[in-house]
Amino acid sequence: MSSERLAGLLDEYAQLEKRLADPAIHADQATARRVGRRYAELVPLHKAADGLEQARADLAAARELAAEDPSFAAEADAIAGSLPVLEERLAELLIPRDPHDAKDVIVEIKAGEGGEESALFAGDLLRMYTRYAERHGWVTEVIDAQDSDLGGVKDVSLAIKTKGVPDGGNGVWSRLKWEGGVHRVQRVPVTESQGRIHTSAAGVLVLPEAEDVDVTIDQNELRIDVFRSSGPGGQSVNTTDSAVRITHLPTGIVVSCQNEKSQLQNREQAMRILRARLLAAAQEQADAAASDARKAQVRTVDRSERIRTYNYPQNRITDHRIGYTAYNLDLALGGELDGVLDALTEADRAARLAGDTELTRR
């Protein structure tokens, strides 16, 4: 393990601890939350380093006592046997982690091939992630949505946040970053009169939610258009220009929002999505020469480029990146996703320990 890296991180931990102890930092909640998240990320490392140091000290003391009294030899051997486990844990924590792991996320779900059935499946995915968030005590907020005629969704943006500082720096992104890509469903659609199984797909994009300090946006580089809402919304629909479309001219990224009743609220929500997309784009550009989990997210809703299949007749869920299969689709759609997410996290951990930064995708 790198002693210089360990010393640097432990020094950062000490500095953050001092900052959080200063009441002045809490006058700026955004700064306090950011510092608190980074501190939480380093707590496991500090505990592991402290535990290893204490074990080594105990071993030295036990061996010294064993030299005078052989009855302490067994204790010394037991402590010595625990050291490799402690050293491996510390080495794992020293591997550079995903810098976004503590962040909240914006999940975008788009219906793809399959028409109305695809929109219904997109709605199923929306409920799945909402229920998963509820199980973990997270807060969800639909930023923008375009509903379909039969109760599905054509396009939806869902913000998912932790309450307070996530334990160990493991925020929503650390769990849901694996969800980006094409999700394929095989089932008999409600619109199918002959009972035939159809295959359709929906695309999922997971973005770490950006804070103001993460992305700098020049207002002069934005084109903001307003238009009348076209979706549900009661009497305000098609009567006021409350919907907002923002185009980031340097990148060509376009976001729109029409869920809120006021133009100002829609603009604020659209800016949230724009910041998240710009942060993701900047990260991809910085990692252009590498291949990591975020770059593996599929932007096109093509049924052939799927990361996961949901097979209703067999009650089966299969993640094609790591060969994971379970026959509990009903539970997964009800929000019990930890089985597949744990498997993906473990595959990533094993890859990082082996020095490979790319999660196996096929």
Side-chain angles (χ1 to χ4, degrees):
M1 67 184 67
S2 171
S3 57
E4 291 183 3
R5 175 170 169 75
L6 176 60
L9 291 173
L10 291 178
D11 181 64
E12 182 184 0
Y13 171 88
Q15 295 299 321
L16 292 172
E17 192 171 42
K18 289 181 180 178
R19 290 188 67 185
L20 289 173
D22 183 356
I25 193 175
H26 298 287
D28 184 345
Q29 288 300 309
T31 299
R33 181 175 172 82
R34 187 169 64 255
V35 172
R37 282 181 170 179
R38 178 55 178 164
Y39 177 78
E41 288 179 5
L42 295 176
V43 166
L45 176 72
H46 176 264
K47 289 183 176 179
D50 191 57
L52 180 58
E53 183 180 357
Q54 184 61 52
R56 286 171 173 169
D58 291 344
L59 177 59
R63 283 176 172 171
E64 186 176 339
L65 291 171
E68 301 176 1
D69 184 349
S71 64
F72 285 98
E75 181 181 348
D77 290 342
I79 296 173
S82 71
L83 288 183
V85 176
L86 296 174
E87 290 170 347
E88 181 179 357
R89 172 60 175 161
L90 184 58
E92 180 181 336
L93 290 170
L94 281 171
I95 298 174
R97 65 183 294 168
D98 188 323
H100 298 315
D101 271 353
K103 288 186 176 294
D104 300 322
V105 305
I106 293 177
V107 179
E108 297 184 2
I109 307 172
K110 299 179 184 296
E113 295 182 13
E116 191 64 41
E117 161 64 4
S118 178
L120 289 170
F121 177 52
D124 293 335
L125 293 177
L126 172 62
R127 284 186 290 275
M128 181 179 74
Y129 293 130
T130 300
R131 290 169 180 170
Y132 181 74
E134 291 172 351
R135 287 176 178 272
H136 285 264
W138 297 337
V139 178
T140 61
E141 174 193 3
V142 174
I143 298 176
D144 193 40
Q146 296 181 35
D147 297 332
S148 70
D149 294 335
L150 296 182
V153 290
K154 298 177 181 178
D155 192 343
V156 61
S157 296
L158 177 72
I160 306 179
K161 295 177 172 291
T162 57
K163 294 179 180 178
V165 176
D167 184 36
N170 296 313
V172 184
W173 172 262
S174 71
R175 294 299 285 170
L176 294 186
K177 60 185 173 183
W178 316 115
E179 294 303 288
V182 172
H183 296 240
R184 184 177 67 172
V185 63
Q186 296 171 329
R187 65 185 178 188
V188 178
V190 295
T191 55
E192 168 59 51
S193 60
Q194 302 297 320
R196 293 172 297 187
I197 296 174
H198 287 225
T199 298
S200 60
V204 175
L205 181 62
V206 184
L207 304 168
E209 181 152 13
E211 300 176 33
D212 290 339
V213 296
D214 296 324
V215 176
T216 300
I217 299 178
D218 186 345
Q219 296 296 317
N220 294 323
E221 295 178 342
L222 301 179
R223 185 177 73 237
I224 301 176
D225 302 306
V226 295
F227 56 98
R228 293 185 179 181
S229 300
S230 58
Q235 296 180 351
S236 64
V237 177
N238 293 326
T239 60
T240 61
D241 292 333
S242 60
V244 174
R245 180 185 300 109
I246 300 178
T247 303
H248 186 248
L249 300 176
T251 62
I253 294 175
V254 180
V255 297
S256 61
C257 187
Q258 60 181 5
N259 256 34
E260 305 296 337
K261 292 183 179 180
S262 80
Q263 186 182 120
L264 178 60
Q265 290 174 316
N266 280 324
R267 173 170 173 159
E268 291 175 350
Q269 298 288 47
M271 287 297 292
R272 287 176 64 185
I273 298 174
L274 177 60
R275 280 194 294 269
R277 289 190 183 179
L278 287 174
L279 178 62
Q283 186 68 55
E284 287 184 1
Q285 184 176 6
D287 295 339
S291 180
D292 60 16
R294 287 181 303 281
K295 289 182 67 181
Q297 296 195 41
V298 182
R299 266 59 173 187
T300 60
V301 189
D302 182 339
R303 288 180 299 192
S304 66
E305 296 189 14
R306 81 282 190 224
I307 64 164
R308 189 176 298 155
T309 296
Y310 303 75
N311 184 290
Y312 275 65
Q314 299 178 15
N315 196 36
R316 170 173 55 83
I317 179 172
T318 299
D319 194 288
H320 304 285
R321 293 164 295 184
I322 57 174
Y324 172 93
T325 294
Y327 293 88
N328 62 349
L329 176 59
D330 53 338
L331 298 178
L333 290 171
E336 296 186 22
L337 280 172
D338 280 328
V340 62
L341 295 181
D342 286 344
L344 286 160
T345 300
E346 177 57 29
D348 176 66
R349 186 191 73 86
R352 289 189 297 113
L353 284 173
D356 184 2
T357 60
E358 181 174 358
L359 178 68
T360 302
R361 300 193 297 277
R362 295 288 185 269

